[in-house]
Amino acid sequence: MSAPQQSHPPVTGQFAWLAKIGATPEAVATLNDQPYVFFTLVAALVILILQGLFIWYIHLATMKPEQKKKKEKKGDNKKPGGKPPAQR
């Protein structure tokens, strides 16, 4: 036998759109009551993304010239006097 289904009242409020993407009615009610929780979550995610970009930039800017990949021009892959791949 399956467990009885609980019916929840329709979700309303500022964060009702979260119920459409899977949030429980209790979570939506909490966010409607305390919206700073959502702001804190979004702010923390933005700060972590910016910190990651900053760390990547520092890594890129402090690389020694011999650590950087050299750009190769297209069409310069052929060595003069070399055998074609089929004859190697």
Side-chain angles (χ1 to χ4, degrees):
M1 298 196 135
S2 63
Q5 297 290 328
Q6 295 180 354
S7 62
H8 297 287
V11 179
T12 59
Q14 183 179 359
F15 295 99
W17 58 273
L18 286 172
K20 295 178 185 175
I21 60 172
T24 63
E26 292 83 8
V28 175
T30 300
L31 287 175
N32 284 329
D33 187 42
Q34 303 169 359
Y36 62 87
V37 174
F38 184 74
F39 171 75
T40 303
L41 172 68
V42 172
L45 288 174
V46 168
I47 289 170
L48 287 173
I49 290 168
L50 289 175
Q51 183 179 11
L53 287 172
F54 184 62
I55 290 170
W56 171 81
Y57 175 74
I58 288 173
H59 165 73
L60 186 70
T62 58
M63 287 178 68
K64 296 175 185 171
E66 60 268 12
Q67 292 175 321
K68 295 181 181 178
K69 292 183 180 178
K70 295 180 180 170
K71 296 180 182 176
E72 295 180 10
K73 295 181 182 177
K74 292 184 180 179
D76 288 345
N77 296 344
K78 298 179 184 176
K79 295 181 182 176
K83 293 183 181 178
Q87 294 180 355
R88 288 186 195 164

